[in-house]
Amino acid sequence: MLGAGDATLIGAGAMIGAGVFAVFAPAAHRAGVWLPVAMLIAAVVAYCNATSSARLAARHAESGGTYVYGRERLGEVWGYLAGWSFVVGKVASCAVMALTFAAYVLPGYERAVAVSAVVVLTAVNYVGLRRSLAVTRVLLAGVLLALGAVVVAAWTGGGADPARLDLGADWPGFFGLFGAAGMVFFAFAGYARVSTLAGEVRDARVIPRAVTASLVGVLLVYLAVGVSALAVLGPRNLARSVAPVEDLALASAGPWLVWVVAVGAAMACLGALLSLVLGVSRTVLAMSADGHLPRALASIHPRFGVPHRAELAVGAVVVVLVLSVDLRGAIGFSAFGVLVYYAIANASALRLGPEENRPPLLVPIVGLVGCVVLALSLPTGSVLVGAAVLAVGAGVWLGRHWWSGRASAGLSGP
């Protein structure tokens, strides 16, 4: 069973992934020097989402996250849509993490390396949660050391100019600012991963502390890296960058630090991919147990105690996406799915009673409105594809219930 430290580790490991090494450039393209403000907006929405999720997880100590909360608080269809959004969005995230890892490790052979990474990490998750935690500790430590080295070099190498942080520069407009916040939100996604593992924590009361601790810690890391990148590269150069943290390292200390960043990026992607597969498989487990997905996926391994069939199914779908996905589209689609997921979480938190440790009313309201605004601020293509996939999920649910109703009517007929 997980303790507070292990739960915090899972949350941090799920957040610090490919996002911190890739998302600052497109976000700076939208927000310019206002990037730190966009990061704070994303963090506020993430905090509200995390608080709502943590309070709900304390009342529903079983695996499944918002799939369970929506089902219990809003009705079966909302729980189903939350689970559908989470699974499809996070499977896309898994593909992004795998491909980003491969791009740093062996450019030119991204898909083959990405498939290999998915297969290996699925096998690690298959043999048990404890071994996954041990790997996550090592990966997270390496990533934090690499990012810390870059930040220190940025402010001691003479290239940082605080004047580049002047908010009096070009105002991007609210759409640009919130659009950037929506992109940055992709880098925060994962803060409530521990909530999807609620059935495996030692004491449900550690969930709120673990979620908050991991979110605050990762926010500080992101602010340090993002502000350093703006101060050294400037908003225009940062917006044009393909690998912003590598460019920051090169401008601050030279090629030797670029190698450190490459290793750190690879470790970050592996750590996030490990946690993502872990969380998605638990939601698949919960949905399968309720009959929304094939019930065979709800099987628990007798020796390792994990949903082994769900793990293998998630890994197989990620491999298919790795072989066919467009990275930019996958990032936007993933962000849309996750924002829908947390919008339902906040709506569920509004249904908590005063005796259930309900968060202050402002928290789920800000979280719900924030999720909707950020989702609609994403690129139009991502919004349209995300809405279409959500509609397909709703259609599957309606079709299943229509068929069940007909079957029941036939059995009860004359």
Side-chain angles (χ1 to χ4, degrees), residues 7 18 20 27 52 68 104 111 116 133 196-197 212 228 259 266 276 391 397:
V20 70
S52 294
V68 174
Y104 278 93
R111 298 196 188 277
S116 300
L133 284 169
T196 66
L197 305 171
T212 302
S228 298
W259 284 101
L276 280 170
W397 187 89

Side-chain angles (χ1 to χ4, degrees), residues 149-310:
V150 172
V151 171
V152 170
W155 293 98
T156 59
D161 183 1
R164 297 190 177 111
L165 304 175
D166 181 14
L167 290 180
D170 294 338
W171 163 243
F174 285 105
F175 188 78
L177 184 62
F178 286 114
M183 293 177 183
V184 173
F185 187 85
F186 173 81
F188 278 107
Y191 48 82
R193 184 72 67 251
V194 67
S195 296
T196 66
L197 305 171
E200 298 170 70
V201 295
R202 186 178 302 118
D203 183 348
R205 290 174 296 181
V206 311
I207 293 175
R209 298 196 299 271
V211 171
T212 302
S214 60
L215 177 62
V216 171
V218 171
L219 170 61
L220 294 176
V221 172
Y222 286 0
L223 281 173
V225 176
V227 170
S228 298
L230 281 173
V232 172
L233 301 176
R236 288 183 175 81
N237 288 332
L238 177 58
R240 290 193 293 264
S241 176
V242 176
V245 182
E246 277 196 353
D247 288 346
L248 172 60
L250 183 63
S252 302
W256 73 268
L257 191 54
V258 171
W259 284 101
V260 174
V261 169
V263 173
M267 297 177 75
C269 294
L270 286 178
L273 180 58
L274 189 71
S275 294
L276 280 170
V277 173
L278 194 69
V280 174
S281 65
R282 267 55 180 185
T283 301
V284 170
L285 168 68
M287 295 183 71
S288 301
D290 288 342
H292 294 306
L293 292 174
R295 291 189 182 274
L297 298 178
S299 175
I300 301 295
H301 196 284
R303 177 183 174 188
F304 300 123
V306 300
H308 57 116
R309 291 178 181 171

